[in-house]
Amino acid sequence: MSLRPEERLSAEALQRFLQEQYAITSSWFGVDPDPPDLRFEITRPDGSAESWAVEVTGLIQYIEWDGNEVNRRIFEPAVFKLCKRLNEDLGPHMKHGYWLNVTGPFDASVFRDLERRIRAYIDTGKTDEEALDYAEAHASVMDEIRGDPNDPGVQWAVQQVVQDRIKVTIKGVAGGKGIVAFSGISGTARIPNTDKLAADVDATLQYATRRILDAKLPRMAKVNGFDRKVLSVWSGIPFVSADDVREQFRAFDPKGIDGIFFFEYGKNRVSLLLDSGLSLAV
């Protein structure tokens, strides 16, 4: 069956980890229909063989957007893909390099028109930083003001708030002829169904961890025909450590699962977060 890139990368990384850390040889393949996503056939150093049901999932940051729960991957991959397409199309003709800063979540109407706005900025030859969503940010503030919009004091206050609501900017930079995208989460974004800011790392991890377990444990409870049940969690939240993630998963004390592994993309590193039935932890 066809696997998503994160499933294949996670499987390959887990296979290497088991060999390097525990001298466990393995083969794997996708399962259709799932769950689980993968079937691992392992052989331990003593020659004993087991079948592992491996469910692959991502540790993703969730935020509240217009009253709904969304994750940062709703816009980040699309922005990077857009920049790649523009670089391929416009790269040879660019007079400058460009930094595109995107802070999510932002107005969906802005994203639908983002390519045109980026092209228009590049066509002007400008290099000064410009907000590509200024009109939307300004309109959102004007919808909320109660004072006289012509009053100089009100106008000054509006501009201060508008600056806080701008989510997409572009700037020309010396050197290079491509667009480099930087992406993050707004400092005012909140974790869904809470009053906590998304910048609260512990709260963000707790929410993401609980969401994984709420979604995956019931699925894995229906899986039969395997010796062990395993979660392979790939990192979708920048800068979190395996130790922090381990602490969150252990705090929930998940039942019905034999082990949890954590795959850090950028470092191409796997860590064992939980061993409640794999007999690997020393």
Side-chain angles (χ1 to χ4, degrees):
M1 63 171 292
S2 177
L3 297 175
R4 298 190 303 274
E6 59 267 25
E7 292 174 338
R8 182 171 297 279
L9 289 171
S10 295
E12 292 170 349
L14 178 56
Q15 185 178 43
R16 288 193 302 270
F17 176 76
L18 293 174
Q19 176 66 56
E20 294 169 1
Q21 296 296 317
Y22 304 105
I24 292 175
T25 59
S26 62
S27 61
W28 58 270
F29 53 88
V31 178
D32 189 16
D34 61 14
D37 295 310
L38 306 168
R39 185 182 191 103
F40 262 70
E41 298 292 346
I42 75 153
T43 302
R44 295 179 184 267
D46 63 3
S48 60
E50 296 174 1
S51 294
W52 289 7
V54 180
E55 181 77 355
V56 180
T57 188
L59 186 75
I60 306 295
Q61 185 173 22
Y62 288 86
I63 52 180
E64 186 173 307
W65 188 3
D66 293 334
N68 298 311
E69 177 197 79
V70 301
N71 67 63
R72 64 188 302 157
R73 286 172 63 82
I74 198 172
F75 66 89
E76 283 186 319
V79 168
F80 294 137
K81 184 176 180 179
L82 169 61
C83 289
K84 182 176 184 294
R85 183 170 67 249
L86 285 171
N87 283 333
E88 292 173 349
D89 188 19
L90 302 177
H93 309 293
M94 291 183 187
K95 298 178 181 179
H96 311 282
Y98 298 92
W99 288 349
L100 179 71
N101 288 283
V102 178
T103 303
F106 61 97
D107 194 314
S109 65
V110 174
F111 178 75
R112 289 192 292 270
D113 194 43
L114 186 56
E115 180 171 346
R116 183 196 64 78
R117 298 184 192 194
I118 294 172
R119 287 178 179 270
Y121 177 87
I122 292 173
D123 287 345
T124 65
K126 293 187 290 187
T127 58
D128 290 342
E129 186 175 48
E130 182 173 304
L132 298 184
D133 62 338
Y134 179 86
E136 287 79 9
H138 185 270
S140 72
V141 176
M142 295 302 293
D143 284 342
E144 298 174 4
I145 65 168
R146 297 295 178 265
D148 180 359
N150 295 315
D151 182 281
V154 173
Q155 291 178 349
W156 178 87
V158 166
Q159 289 307 312
Q160 302 310 303
V161 179
V162 167
Q163 293 305 311
D164 290 338
R165 295 194 182 182
I166 287 171
K167 303 292 184 66
V168 186
T169 64
I170 191 169
K171 178 182 180 179
V173 293
K177 292 187 177 181
I179 304 168
V180 177
F182 300 90
S183 180
I185 295 294
S186 169
T188 62
R190 296 190 179 276
I191 298 170
N193 306 313
T194 75
D195 60 356
K196 296 183 181 296
L197 295 176
D200 185 329
V201 176
D202 286 341
T204 291
L205 281 178
Q206 183 182 70
Y207 187 91
T209 302
R210 183 176 63 247
R211 200 179 186 287
I212 285 176
L213 295 176
D214 287 347
K216 296 301 181 178
L217 292 186
R219 281 173 56 85
M220 294 300 280
K222 301 176 182 178
V223 171
N224 295 301
F226 293 85
D227 299 302
R228 302 287 184 267
K229 298 180 182 181
V230 171
L231 290 181
S232 176
V233 181
W234 52 268
S235 176
I237 302 179
F239 312 121
V240 301
S241 71
D243 287 340
D244 291 337
V245 179
R246 180 182 293 108
E247 182 178 338
Q248 293 294 336
F249 273 104
R250 289 186 175 181
F252 282 105
D253 190 25
K255 305 299 183 184
I257 203 80
D258 295 293
I260 302 177
F261 295 92
F262 184 57
F263 173 43
E264 298 172 84
Y265 263 128
K267 300 177 182 178
N268 198 27
R269 183 169 64 194
V270 174
S271 301
L272 177 61
L273 302 185
L274 181 72
D275 183 351
S276 56
L278 301 179
S279 300
L280 297 180
V282 295

